[in-house]
Amino acid sequence: MSLTDLTLQELSTKLAAREVSAVEATRACLDRIRAVDGQVHAFLRVDEQGALAAAAASDSRRGAGGALSQLEGVPLALKDNLLTEGLETTCASRILGGFIPPYDATVVRLLKDAGAVLLGKTNQDEFAMGSSNETSAFGPCHNPYALDRAPGGSSGGSAAAVAAREAFGALGTDTGGSIRQPAALCNVVGLKPTYGRVSRFGVIAFASSLDQVGPLGRTVADVAALLQFIARHDAQDATSVPATVPDYSAELEAGVAGMRLGLPREYFAGGMDPEVEQAVRDAARAYEQMGATLVEVSLPHTRYALAAYYLIAPAEASSNLARYDGVRYGLRAKGVRGLEELYSRTREEGFGPEVKRRIMLGTYALSAGYYDAYYLKAQKVRTLIRRDFEQALAGVDALLTPTSPVPAFRLGEKVDDPLAMYLMDVFTLPCNLAGLPGLSLPGGFTRAGLPVGLQLLGRPFDEARLLRVARAFEREHPFHARAPQL
Amino acid sequence: MKLTLEQVRHVAHLARLALTPEEEVRAASKLSAILDAVDTLRELDTTDVPPTSHAVLVEALLREDVVKPGLPPEVALANAPAKADTSFVVPKVIE
């Protein structure tokens, strides 16, 4: 067994026991990246020098003794929409080519303060707009379990890096499923925390009322460990919530006996791959055998969530992306006449087709005469969706659903059909509209060997319970241990 | 909802995107299809439903009004495509 096959927690234990040094662990990751990332393309940028320097500094701290964090010396990967001081950050867009952030995102600072080693920046859909990683301006990432298939998106690189054993964990962001859907397609655990649980300061904005940073790991315990360090109130993010941060690992092994798990009727109404549906139903039975009670619940406005999301998210994006104008950073179009042309030529050259499409859609939905019919209407429907969840979750501990309606699809299969691609988020995006925490965990494999993800949704700030429910399944069904053949 | 080329050009102008003629045609068809799909919202009566702008936030949070240093000018300008002294340089606005 190679060092990179260890889970984050196993590595952390070995580092603490000084059986392994941070430099050795980091070199093992860098070697693994060199060996497999030519095929996977999970990384846009590997910071070899920075990672080795951070690892050496970690080993010195270890040598000096004293209490060290669980992340001390652990090599991790970061999605490329998280600002990293001094390290190029592009959001997988040409318009931010060469951009060197002058400061760290709060989550990046928290990981550095915890002593983690940051390996580099992972591939993603451009500005996190996509469900396959194919809108990346720098070429798609490939699913480690089937290289001709998509890893999911938008945090496809983070999920693939963790699955391919290139990093011991990663951070991603989730606006409509961008952590959970790639986690499902790549057989890893991914958590979108409650809106406001994790700071968005220094996270390149897509849709500000939906975006949330979260961890990806190979096990539930690894994800709990990562969440522990990033769940924090941050005065620099006005939407950050000053709620108490519990010990996310304390009740991981407590099981589900006596819990009530809800199965939303509308999520099983058709359109799902039969093998995915079978995996979710098998998981539901497994929970029943572990002592949980299954309850059918209803989320009656589910069928309107996709439409509400594809008005709200593009509207917010069109506003957030107005800042890319060729003046202060990133690309500037050459040979332009006048300021107006500088803006429009820079944006034309810098943004890819999907980003332009969403800017156009959002601009239209916000424009004079259409605001009430589209944006305001969508926000009202958002209220109905939020109420659905409040009612359903009042009677159960968590909801169990599929994460993605299908397993990993072929690269190129949906990229020219925006509506088909948007459907990939149909089970994940209602949770963002309602601001709830959501988790995807490995739920088995199809006959063709493709991973299937299970999704758990919970009440606001109830991440600890989701992790506990996820861990109960993982203990009995360790699908996460099946590594990709690379 | 069928978007006309004229509407596409108007929206592209609002969004400051200099689309090519081919992109305008493609945008008209793909955006029309998306707008048709989102039209399902019209089925819902939302007369007495208040809008949700943020799902979790209950009240505006205020922080202490403490003076902290911002980015020094040379750092703020470090990524600028064109700069002079402590300013960003853009094409002439008024002839």
Side-chain angles (χ1 to χ4, degrees):
Chain A
M1 183 162 148
S2 129
L3 198 51
T4 52
D5 287 322
L6 298 173
T7 67
L8 185 158
Q9 296 239 308
E10 288 166 347
L11 175 70
S12 185
T13 305
K14 284 187 186 292
L15 286 165
R18 306 196 194 194
E19 289 170 38
V20 175
S21 72
V23 168
E24 283 166 341
T26 303
R27 283 199 194 284
C29 287
L30 294 170
D31 288 346
R32 178 72 179 162
I33 292 168
R34 256 191 298 276
V36 302
D37 212 51
Q39 306 170 69
V40 178
H41 198 208
F43 282 88
L44 292 177
R45 231 156 288 110
V46 178
D47 182 20
E48 182 162 342
Q49 246 186 326
L52 286 171
S58 170
D59 285 335
S60 308
R61 286 192 294 273
R62 182 87 63 194
L68 294 172
S69 96
Q70 209 181 1
L71 298 185
E72 181 67 51
V74 173
L76 302 172
L78 299 169
K79 188 175 180 178
D80 203 30
N81 60 354
L82 307 174
L83 297 191
T84 43
E85 183 178 347
L87 181 63
E88 188 185 2
T89 298
T90 65
C91 226
S93 181
R94 278 192 303 274
I95 210 159
L96 273 175
F99 173 63
I100 312 288
Y103 57 88
D104 281 324
T106 295
V107 288
V108 174
R109 169 62 37 208
L110 289 169
L111 292 183
K112 285 182 177 173
D113 287 349
V117 173
L118 304 175
L119 293 164
K121 309 302 288 289
T122 57
N123 207 346
Q124 58 167 92
D125 282 290
E126 184 180 5
F127 282 101
M129 297 178 191
S131 309
S132 68
N133 218 117
E134 288 167 289
T135 73
S136 168
F138 308 113
C141 174
H142 299 255
N143 192 311
Y145 286 86
L147 290 168
D148 61 336
R149 290 175 187 266
S154 66
S155 310
S158 288
V162 172
R165 276 62 178 161
E166 295 171 275
F168 292 93
L171 294 187
T173 60
D174 191 316
T175 303
S178 282
I179 289 172
R180 292 160 287 152
Q181 186 255 12
L185 270 48
C186 292
N187 198 40
V188 299
V189 183
L191 172 71
K192 183 205 89 79
T194 309
Y195 184 80
R197 177 72 286 181
V198 178
S199 168
R200 293 183 297 109
F201 179 75
V203 180
I204 297 175
F206 162 13
S208 303
S209 80
L210 303 164
D211 297 342
Q212 190 64 194
V213 179
L216 297 101
R218 291 202 282 272
T219 68
V220 175
D222 288 359
V223 162
L226 286 166
L227 179 64
Q228 200 67 53
F229 288 90
I230 60 169
R232 203 66 51 88
H233 174 249
D234 181 8
Q236 285 179 291
D237 172 0
T239 59
S240 167
V241 177
T244 322
V245 179
D247 179 348
Y248 291 112
S249 303
E251 295 192 349
L252 271 188
E253 304 295 338
V256 293
M259 278 199 189
R260 290 163 62 83
L261 294 182
L263 297 169
R265 187 182 308 148
E266 293 78 6
Y267 283 52
F268 296 88
M272 204 192 318
D273 180 284
E275 287 190 89
V276 171
E277 176 158 5
Q278 194 56 51
V280 182
R281 296 211 181 271
D282 288 350
R285 253 197 309 280
Y287 275 119
E288 212 167 18
Q289 282 160 7
M290 288 183 261
T293 306
L294 301 179
V295 186
E296 190 183 78
V297 297
S298 177
L299 299 166
H301 296 95
T302 296
R303 60 181 294 249
Y304 300 103
L306 191 81
Y309 178 87
Y310 276 97
L311 287 167
I312 291 169
E316 295 184 11
S318 77
S319 167
N320 276 324
L321 272 61
R323 73 191 64 176
Y324 304 102
D325 55 10
V327 174
R328 289 157 298 164
Y329 38 67
L331 182 80
R332 171 180 283 201
K334 297 203 166 46
V336 296
R337 292 187 324 188
L339 191 58
E340 168 93 25
E341 201 179 311
L342 172 74
Y343 298 152
S344 59
R345 299 282 341 152
T346 296
R347 292 163 65 77
E348 165 63 14
E349 290 172 24
F351 291 133
E354 182 61 26
V355 173
K356 285 181 199 167
R357 181 147 52 231
R358 297 210 196 179
I359 290 173
M360 293 280 289
L361 183 59
T363 303
Y364 179 75
L366 290 173
S367 64
Y370 297 100
Y371 179 88
D372 285 3
Y374 288 117
Y375 188 66
L376 188 64
K377 180 82 182 183
Q379 286 195 317
K380 290 179 171 187
V381 175
R382 187 174 183 181
T383 303
L384 299 174
I385 289 160
R386 192 163 53 83
R387 287 178 185 166
D388 282 357
F389 278 108
E390 274 168 15
Q391 282 172 9
L393 284 163
V396 297
D397 292 280
L399 302 175
L400 171 65
T401 80
T403 308
S404 163
V406 295
F409 46 93
R410 286 203 167 73
L411 290 164
E413 190 180 314
K414 297 181 196 291
V415 72
D416 290 324
D417 185 350
L419 284 170
M421 190 68 90
Y422 298 171
L423 276 171
M424 296 300 97
D425 302 331
V426 70
F427 298 141
T428 47
L429 57 80
C431 152
N432 300 74
L433 290 170
L436 306 173
L439 180 150
S440 181
L441 76 152
F445 291 84
T446 65
R447 283 186 296 279
L450 299 173
V452 174
L454 308 173
Q455 180 175 238
L456 297 166
L457 303 174
R459 294 180 207 128
F461 302 101
D462 212 8
E463 286 83 0
R465 194 182 315 248
L466 292 188
L467 291 161
R468 172 178 162 183
V469 174
R471 173 58 190 151
F473 183 84
E474 179 190 72
R475 193 169 48 214
E476 303 287 323
H477 303 277
F479 293 117
H480 68 279
R482 184 158 148 189
Q485 303 296 311
L486 284 166
Chain B
M1 176 88 200
K2 183 89 185 83
L3 276 189
T4 64
L5 274 181
E6 203 175 323
Q7 283 172 304
V8 167
R9 287 182 195 125
H10 173 63
V11 175
H13 171 70
L14 291 176
R16 299 296 186 268
L17 286 167
L19 298 184
T20 64
E22 298 77 46
E23 282 180 317
E24 288 173 356
V25 173
R26 211 176 321 134
S29 98
K30 303 252 171 179
L31 291 177
S32 299
I34 296 169
L35 289 173
D36 278 343
V38 300
D39 251 3
T40 53
L41 295 189
R42 285 178 200 275
E43 296 167 13
L44 286 171
D45 179 6
T46 51
T47 321
D48 297 322
V49 181
T52 293
S53 54
H54 277 80
V56 171
L57 198 64
V58 268
E59 55 184 297
L61 296 168
L62 300 175
R63 60 173 162 75
E64 291 302 311
D65 187 14
V66 181
V67 178
K68 287 184 189 170
L71 292 178
E74 65 277 11
V75 176
L77 286 162
N79 282 285
K83 59 191 164 189
D85 300 325
T86 54
S87 302
F88 297 99
V89 172
V90 296
K92 205 181 266 184
V93 180
I94 302 164
E95 290 297 330

